[in-house]
Amino acid sequence: MVYVLVALEMKRMIAYYLDPMACQPCDDLKEIVNMFVVMSIFKAHVEGQLKSQMGNCLTVSSASDVSKKRKSLAIETSFKLPAPMPTWPPGEGFAGGTIDLGGGLEVCQISSFTKVWATHEGGPDNLGATFFEPSPMPEEFCMLGCYSQPNKKPLFGWVLAGKDNTNNPLGGALKKPIDYTLVWSSESLKIKQDGNGYVWLPTPPDGYKAVGHVITNLPEKPSLDKIRCVRSDLTDLCEADTWIWGLDKVANANGFNVYDLQPSDRGAQALAVSVGTFVAQNGGAASSLSLACLKNISSNLYAMPNLAQVDALVQAYSPWVYLHPDEQYLPSSVSWFFQNGALLYQQGEESKPVNIDPTGSNLPQGGSNDGAYWLDLPVDAKAKETVKKGDLQDSMTYMHIKPMLGATFTDIAIWIFYPFNGPARAKVELINISLGKIGEHVGDWEHVTLRVSNFNGKLMNVFFSEHSSGTWVNASELEFQNGNKVVSYASLHGHAFYPKPGLVLQGSGAMGIRNDTAKSKMVMDTGTRYIVVAAEYLGSAVVEPPWLNYYRKWGPKISYDLAAEIKEVEKLLPGKLKSAFEKLVKSLPNEILGEEGPTGPKMKKNWDGDEV
């Protein structure tokens, strides 16, 4: 073997044999090295002297070596729950892999994908989005639509695939499209992208509807065998939901936008089924009307979990709730609240409050929130202060189990009761102030909702209630502890739930109501002491406690001089901030102001409906 030292300069090449017994270098070697060096230098526009290389081969830097590497994106990592899912107890159809929606349509949920096209700008955080095909496709199942999500999050999603069980070529549950319409392409755009992307809308045969788009990276129309359309009676109306991507950093109504699709009708009784696909809207065109979602026309609930499976789900995913280290007003069980002196008042009989049975059996049942009855703390001052503080050791969680999205998902609403909601605190520029009595009220119901796939039992999303609203959070963005148990943080005094610790300011700019959360030694494992208080689909298997059907207020209407409270706080503020603060407080809902006592879980809109 002969070794060669090759010295490279900008304008010449010198090759020396390192073997002293060898002859001069041959012309072929000189030509090969010269051509390689000249081409590489020209391509990379290398400046300065290249360092000499020694060894069995020659390495020359290319343009890609010296250019700045693109920062890796979150979507390049697929999210998985921290711990393996358990083996679910036996049952009828829960976690069975497929669900029969009736009418000859069987569906499965696919969460493995093949990337088709991606853009690296625009959309949330200006990081772009990626578009996928579901892959691999199970035998006899067909694609119903493609999947997309922003690049800012780890890959974690799903789409449904369909199987036609009718054996009817004329009126089957699924049919091929008869053509495609190009909705949009990136061909002429000067954006950061991986090749070009093309979004196609299938043209369904008469009596059928498309439920998803096809995405390609070539200008030719996709094969008609690529996707299936669904018979119209097996579909329902849908609407655009969360923004996935657009050319701008925020959704532009006049531009091109991609959104998640969700059924228009959602709730425990609704039959509409989400397909998991996206809708493309070009220049404000309502192309969402050209896509539909699916429908569980059989109203079949066989894929819902039984009580043993519900318990397994609770043990697998039930949240840890961290209370703020300065929290004074802790949760308790409802029976503890009643047994420690809570009183039932009746309009016109205010001087004769009644003690409440531990189960609430003497509370008025049903009816409406007509103001005729309300609950309040004990009259005795010492007992009142004791009840206000709650009892974390005696606290319980109350579970409501309900079907969602046509019984393809199970929602586990986990309700927590606090005897008292503490005073609010505000941040006004750099000043933090207590708001006196503002925010105080008796009886406080808060909840976290787990959304679990009935196809496999996987936790997909969690809803965190925040005062009169709340936020859905994808499982890939959650904090977990002890396996797959979700971590939640309850805000100081107000008890709103958040997925991350820190400050959430409810207001605008540098002024608003403080929602402070942090970890502490006060923590509640919601799966340790719980009771399923309602699961309507299970019929008589779950007996609802009497207090659940008490529809009146869990606290009295608090009467205080709001103007006087504001004036007290304003004394602490510089002149220019007084009017802005007064405007902020008056814009807050009664729930935060604390003027109205809250109603119980069954009176909330989300009891039968979807979360906001």
Side-chain angles (χ1 to χ4, degrees):
M1 180 178 291
V2 177
Y3 292 90
V4 181
L5 169 64
V6 182
L8 302 177
E9 295 180 2
M10 286 297 293
K11 296 183 178 179
R12 61 178 179 152
M13 178 276 294
I14 305 173
Y16 300 94
Y17 277 91
L18 297 184
D19 185 348
M21 301 300 295
C23 302
Q24 292 297 317
C26 66
D27 291 338
D28 288 345
L29 176 62
K30 289 182 180 180
E31 284 295 320
I32 293 170
V33 176
N34 253 328
M35 289 175 61
F36 184 72
V37 171
V38 170
M39 292 175 63
S40 299
I41 291 174
F42 177 80
K43 179 180 179 183
H45 300 284
V46 179
E47 296 179 358
Q49 186 175 8
L50 296 175
K51 294 183 179 180
S52 60
Q53 304 282 334
M54 182 173 5
N56 294 331
C57 60
L58 178 68
T59 302
V60 179
S61 296
S62 67
S64 60
D65 293 326
V66 298
S67 64
K68 185 177 180 181
K69 298 286 186 180
R70 177 177 63 80
K71 186 178 179 180
S72 61
L73 297 169
I75 199 168
E76 293 170 1
T77 302
S78 294
F79 171 78
K80 293 183 179 180
L81 291 170
M85 288 194 299
T87 300
W88 307 114
E92 186 175 356
F94 176 73
T98 68
I99 295 177
D100 184 354
L101 299 181
L105 179 59
E106 183 181 354
V107 291
C108 67
Q109 192 177 67
I110 299 179
S111 56
S112 58
F113 302 101
T114 298
K115 174 183 169 182
V116 178
W117 178 72
T119 173
H120 301 286
E121 63 179 280
D125 293 349
N126 200 31
L127 292 175
T130 304
F131 296 76
F132 303 88
E133 280 185 4
S135 175
M137 194 66 57
E139 188 177 355
E140 297 186 336
F141 281 83
C142 302
M143 186 175 86
L144 300 178
C146 288
Y147 175 76
S148 177
Q149 74 167 63
N151 289 337
K152 64 176 290 187
K153 298 188 295 185
L155 179 58
F156 184 69
W158 55 271
V159 292
L160 297 187
K163 178 183 176 184
D164 189 343
N165 289 329
T166 63
N167 295 318
N168 182 353
L170 298 178
L174 303 174
K175 273 192 177 182
K176 298 177 185 179
I178 58 174
D179 199 0
Y180 291 97
T181 300
L182 180 63
V183 176
W184 177 87
S185 89
S186 67
E187 205 170 55
S188 61
L189 299 178
K190 296 181 179 179
I191 60 173
K192 299 174 185 175
Q193 57 179 321
D194 297 342
N196 293 321
Y198 304 83
V199 181
W200 303 90
L201 176 66
T203 303
D206 288 343
Y208 288 76
K209 291 185 178 180
V211 297
H213 288 294
V214 175
I215 181 81
T216 68
N217 49 26
L218 296 172
E220 293 78 23
K221 288 184 179 182
S223 164
L224 295 179
D225 198 44
K226 188 75 174 178
I227 196 171
R228 294 295 185 272
C229 301
V230 183
R231 203 173 65 225
S232 296
D233 64 305
L234 298 172
T235 67
D236 211 328
L237 297 177
C238 63
E239 61 189 22
D241 184 22
T242 308
W243 186 54
I244 296 175
W245 183 73
L247 296 174
D248 300 316
K249 297 178 183 178
V250 294
N252 180 355
N254 296 317
F256 176 74
N257 294 287
V258 177
Y259 296 91
D260 283 324
L261 272 176
Q262 66 176 4
S264 300
D265 185 19
R266 302 182 304 280
Q269 306 301 319
L271 302 179
V273 173
S274 176
V275 186
T277 52
F278 64 87
V279 62
Q281 294 181 324
N282 198 0
S287 57
S288 60
L289 298 178
S290 301
L291 292 179
C293 63
L294 297 178
K295 188 175 185 178
N296 185 349
I297 65 170
S298 66
S299 304
N300 202 326
L301 299 175
Y302 80 100
M304 290 293 293
N306 58 33
L307 281 177
Q309 292 166 336
V310 166
D311 180 68
L313 290 168
V314 170
Q315 298 311 316
Y317 304 129
S318 56
W320 291 88
V321 175
Y322 281 94
L323 302 168
H324 193 278
D326 296 331
E327 185 60 71
Q328 303 164 264
Y329 307 105
L330 305 176
S332 78
S333 65
V334 170
S335 60
W336 182 93
F337 179 59
F338 293 161
Q339 289 172 320
N340 282 271
L343 297 168
L344 171 66
Y345 285 80
Q346 183 177 359
Q347 190 175 36
E349 300 286 337
E350 289 84 353
S351 62
K352 301 176 182 178
V354 176
N355 291 319
I356 306 170
D357 181 83
T359 65
S361 61
N362 61 331
L363 292 172
Q365 300 288 288
S368 63
N369 182 25
D370 53 11
Y373 296 90
W374 63 90
L375 308 186
D376 204 349
L377 299 170
V379 175
D380 178 76
K382 185 177 180 180
K384 180 181 291 186
E385 290 304 311
T386 298
V387 173
K388 267 183 165 183
K389 293 178 181 178
D391 187 337
L392 183 59
Q393 298 304 313
D394 194 76
S395 62
M396 290 194 70
T397 54
Y398 304 98
M399 310 283 185
H400 178 207
I401 320 299
K402 59 181 179 180
M404 288 299 298
L405 302 176
T408 56
F409 285 83
T410 294
D411 273 12
I412 303 177
I414 303 170
W415 290 90
I416 299 176
F417 176 72
Y418 296 81
F420 194 73
N421 193 93
R425 299 164 68 243
K427 182 178 185 294
V428 184
E429 299 293 345
L430 299 177
I431 303 172
N432 294 315
I433 51 178
S434 175
L435 298 185
K437 294 181 180 179
I438 296 175
E440 291 186 346
H441 62 79
V442 176
D444 185 22
W445 283 101
E446 303 290 348
H447 74 285
V448 176
T449 298
L450 310 176
R451 179 158 289 177
V452 175
S453 168
N454 286 349
F455 291 93
N456 49 33
K458 182 183 293 184
L459 176 69
M460 305 302 293
N461 305 89
V462 176
F463 180 82
F464 296 83
S465 68
E466 301 161 6
H467 303 301
S468 57
S469 61
T471 304
W472 278 110
V473 179
N474 189 281
S476 66
E477 301 175 283
L478 295 171
E479 179 184 350
F480 292 90
Q481 179 177 310
N482 289 33
N484 295 332
K485 284 180 170 286
V486 178
V487 174
S488 176
Y489 297 87
S491 66
L492 179 62
H493 290 183
H495 309 137
F497 286 125
Y498 296 94
K500 305 290 183 185
L503 169 63
V504 176
L505 203 60
Q506 189 173 353
S508 59
M511 184 179 300
I513 300 298
R514 293 186 65 100
N515 291 280
D516 292 279
T517 61
K519 279 189 176 178
S520 74
K521 294 181 179 179
M522 294 183 291
V523 61
M524 183 179 185
D525 180 355
T526 58
T528 300
R529 299 183 74 237
Y530 81 93
I531 180 173
V532 176
V533 295
E536 291 86 349
Y537 71 95
L538 289 175
S540 60
V542 175
V543 178
E544 298 181 357
W547 59 259
L548 185 62
N549 291 296
Y550 168 70
Y551 291 172
R552 276 75 174 194
K553 295 189 181 300
W554 283 70
K557 181 176 181 178
I558 297 177
S559 298
Y560 57 82
D561 190 337
L562 181 60
E565 295 292 327
I566 292 175
K567 292 296 181 186
E568 284 297 312
V569 175
E570 286 179 346
K571 292 177 182 178
L572 305 173
L573 299 175
K576 66 176 183 178
L577 296 179
K578 294 183 188 292
S579 59
F581 171 74
E582 183 175 347
K583 183 178 179 181
L584 167 69
V585 173
K586 288 185 176 179
S587 68
L588 297 174
N590 286 342
E591 182 177 350
I592 294 178
L593 292 174
E595 293 180 353
E596 296 285 345
T599 53
K602 242 187 182 181
M603 296 298 286
K604 312 297 185 186
K605 291 181 179 179
N606 66 291
W607 184 263
D608 291 318
D610 195 5
E611 304 287 358
V612 293

